[in-house]
Amino acid sequence: MSYLLPNLTKKKQVDSIIRDTIDKVLVLRFGRASDALCLQLDDILSKSAREVSKFATVAVVDIDSEDVQVYVKYFDITLVPSSVFFFNAHHMKMDSGTADHTKWVGAFHTKQDFIDVVEESGWMGTFVGKPGR
């Protein structure tokens, strides 16, 4: 199902989507198209993408691409899938019940679980990304 989502394999593509996604949550799923858990998450993400399209953009990043290794290292992507959230080009930290507040590690259980996290991130983004609120 990752073929239904933008697939980023170049650093320039990742830079661009982070920079150009304004007033929306950006969700980048780091992983491999050949990994079963990534495929499960991609199915949930692709089924949710339309529902969240007014307040979120979702894309997948291929961690095996040599050109995106700077992001793989920066976000310490050691387990896949890992999802990183942004709002107005700012990396959002989140409490997912683990010690790592920089990303969501693993798949969401249901489409609604993902939508709930994105909605909460968008709500928080209005405070993080827009001064004076």
Side-chain angles (χ1 to χ4, degrees):
M1 286 296 201
S2 62
Y3 62 88
L4 297 174
L5 299 168
N7 191 351
L8 312 176
T9 59
K10 305 278 186 216
K11 180 185 180 300
K12 186 176 183 177
Q13 294 172 313
V14 177
D15 292 343
S16 178
I17 199 167
I18 291 171
R19 181 188 63 243
D20 297 342
T21 304
I22 303 300
D23 290 335
K24 285 186 173 185
V25 174
L26 171 63
V27 182
L28 296 180
R29 188 281 282 149
F30 287 82
R32 296 180 177 91
S34 61
D35 182 86
L37 199 53
C38 289
L39 290 174
Q40 177 188 346
L41 177 56
D42 290 352
D43 183 49
I44 290 170
L45 296 177
S46 63
K47 288 177 179 176
S48 306
R50 183 178 220 167
E51 288 182 48
V52 301
S53 65
K54 290 186 179 185
F55 55 91
T57 299
V58 181
V60 297
V61 181
D62 178 6
I63 66 165
D64 291 327
S65 171
E66 284 297 317
D67 204 34
V68 298
Q69 291 306 304
V70 65
Y71 282 111
V72 172
K73 290 176 183 157
Y74 182 78
F75 292 116
D76 191 29
I77 307 295
T78 55
L79 299 172
V80 295
S82 290
S83 300
V84 181
F85 293 74
F86 297 86
F87 188 82
N88 288 343
H90 291 91
H91 177 223
M92 295 181 68
K93 299 203 176 186
M94 59 190 320
D95 184 359
S96 59
T98 68
D100 187 351
H101 296 293
T102 62
K103 60 191 166 286
W104 184 281
V105 177
F108 293 90
H109 297 288
T110 67
K111 183 172 113 172
Q112 191 59 52
D113 290 340
F114 172 70
I115 292 170
D116 291 345
V117 170
V118 171
E119 285 177 342
E120 184 69 22
S121 298
W123 181 80
M124 289 302 294
T126 60
F127 294 102
V128 173
K130 295 181 182 177
R133 283 208 172 172

